[in-house]
Amino acid sequence: MATMQDVARRANVAVSTVSYALSGARPVARATAERIRRVMEELDYQPNAMAQGLARRRAHTLAMSFPAFDTAMGETVFEIVRGAQAAAAELSYHLAVWPVSREGGGEELALIVRQGKADGVLLVEVAVEDPRVEALERAKVPFVLVGRTADPERHAYVDIDFEQAVADAVHALHDLGHKRIAFVGRPESQVASGYGPALRARAGYVQAMQSLRLRPATVSCDASPVAGRLLAAPLLQQEQRPTAVVVLNDMAVMGLVAGLDEMGLSVPEDISVVGAVSSRTLGAMTNPPLSTSHAPGEQMGAYAARALVRLLDDEIKPADCHRLVQCTPVPGRSIGPVPPTFPASSQRRGSHQ
């Protein structure tokens, strides 16, 4: 059986440094601590009872981690942070936000817990194949996901039902007579990286359209008002020009509404726009006010923090903690019946051409 001396010798550090890396009694440089962690795994080193006792000592801190996704922080994410912080405080815990890289981030978080700086981890903005999750599982670190992986059943999680939120928007538009309904999603880079909301929302849209025997039309868009405004013209140059658009991209939808106006089109008289899984604040920032749906971010954050503390106290198992939340419709003035004709912009406001 490997000893602490074996770990120190292989990692080329002092035995005391290995002890500090385990207990967090003194700071250890990140590169050194990572080297020690790798050696411990290679040697299958099991800390002695004293080190284990130090490692188990509660810091009364929950680490909340965001990966380096190409995504702008939306209001819902800030609501999740507020909810988690409030719930943690009620339970006499601190909440610390630890930004980490997507690759290697799990090992960084495991080291933070191993050093006694935090007791468990809340993972936010989860990919369907998330290396942070795999690393925390290997390190046996307690964690709760705000999001889901492709196989979420063995993990504790709370997540928005993106598929249902987008499907509800599609069906609401279809009930108003719309059949050419386009979907504007997150940046293609997020889809390629496996970002859960980007994939789930697109899948929900496609499934809803197919269930109505309608042709799906998906478009990716960068998360910025400028990108949304520039998207308006090519969106309407599609072979099947949409009479309605479902948007899962808070930053882009503001620009899209402005771009449609620049083309001489009125919302919702000429084209309807729905912001799926958005915020009440955003809905009030467009003209006309955007019809959207809102996820209970603060409730999600509070649920995740409370669940993590219960995991730490061995009151529940990860499989006992599965929650999928629904979005609440937020009425606006951006959707209406399908227009009898789809006018050319020059027929509406020639001065904008």
Side-chain angles (χ1 to χ4, degrees):
M1 180 180 294
T3 65
M4 188 179 294
Q5 288 78 7
D6 295 330
V7 174
R9 191 178 302 110
R10 175 78 68 89
N12 196 28
V13 297
V15 173
S16 60
T17 304
V18 177
S19 177
Y20 296 148
L22 281 168
S23 67
R26 292 187 182 180
V28 176
R30 177 178 294 185
T32 302
E34 175 62 19
R35 187 165 74 252
I36 292 170
R37 181 198 64 78
R38 288 198 303 268
V39 170
M40 287 192 295
E41 290 184 353
E42 291 169 3
L43 298 178
D44 192 24
Y45 169 68
Q46 301 298 320
N48 62 30
M50 181 178 295
Q52 287 178 331
L54 287 169
R56 282 198 299 267
R57 189 171 56 195
R58 290 287 177 93
H60 283 273
T61 298
L62 308 180
M64 177 173 274
S65 174
F66 300 86
F69 275 119
D70 177 22
T71 180
M73 291 280 197
E75 185 174 340
T76 301
V77 173
F78 289 110
E79 290 178 356
I80 290 169
V81 175
R82 287 198 301 269
Q85 189 279 327
E90 290 174 2
L91 297 168
S92 300
Y93 278 77
H94 300 289
L95 182 74
V97 176
W98 253 291
V100 298
S101 61
R102 183 162 178 258
E103 299 296 334
E107 286 80 4
E108 294 178 52
L109 292 167
L111 186 59
I112 286 168
V113 174
R114 186 179 290 121
Q115 290 178 334
K117 297 175 182 177
D119 302 306
V121 177
L122 299 170
L123 289 182
V124 186
E125 305 284 34
V126 179
V128 291
E129 300 293 340
D130 200 312
R132 298 175 302 163
V133 174
E134 298 169 5
L136 291 177
E137 281 188 309
R138 287 195 303 270
K140 296 181 172 55
V141 170
F143 64 92
V144 175
L145 305 179
V146 184
R148 284 172 291 162
T149 60
D151 180 23
E153 293 308 308
R154 67 180 184 274
H155 306 134
Y157 73 81
V158 56
D159 195 14
I160 299 167
D161 192 342
F162 286 95
E163 295 95 331
Q164 189 62 53
V166 173
D168 287 346
V170 170
H171 284 281
L173 292 167
H174 184 259
D175 290 344
L176 291 170
H178 294 276
K179 296 183 178 179
R180 299 201 302 272
I181 305 169
F183 173 76
V184 175
R186 299 295 186 94
E188 188 58 38
S189 60
Q190 293 183 14
V191 177
S193 66
Y195 180 50
L199 295 180
R200 296 182 193 283
R202 179 184 286 189
Y205 162 78
V206 171
Q207 184 175 5
M209 291 291 284
Q210 291 176 342
S211 72
L212 295 169
R213 300 184 183 278
L214 302 177
R215 181 190 298 181
T218 64
V219 180
S220 296
C221 185
D222 287 343
S224 76
V226 172
R229 183 175 59 81
L230 295 176
L231 180 64
L235 184 68
L236 299 181
Q237 289 168 359
Q238 295 182 351
E239 181 181 353
Q240 294 288 324
R241 290 191 298 180
T243 62
V245 185
V246 177
V247 186
L248 188 98
N249 190 323
D250 281 0
M251 301 303 293
V253 72
M254 293 187 291
L256 177 61
V257 172
L260 293 170
D261 180 73
E262 290 174 358
M263 294 181 66
L265 298 174
S266 294
V267 175
E269 288 82 3
D270 299 326
I271 183 168
S272 292
V273 180
V274 179
V277 195
S278 187
S279 69
R280 302 178 191 277
T281 301
L282 178 69
M285 292 174 66
T286 61
N287 186 25
L290 192 68
S291 302
T292 184
S293 58
H294 178 252
E298 291 197 21
Q299 294 178 27
M300 294 172 63
Y303 176 85
R306 293 188 185 112
L308 180 54
V309 172
R310 293 188 69 193
L311 285 172
L312 292 170
D313 291 339
D314 291 325
E315 293 180 3
I316 60 173
K317 301 296 182 184
D320 300 325
C321 177
H322 294 163
R323 176 170 291 186
L324 205 55
V325 303
Q326 304 299 316
C327 291
T328 302
V330 180
R333 298 203 304 270
S334 64
I335 64 172
V338 62
T341 59
F342 196 83
S345 57
S346 59
Q347 293 177 305
R348 300 290 301 182
R349 298 177 195 159
S351 62
H352 285 257
Q353 302 305 304

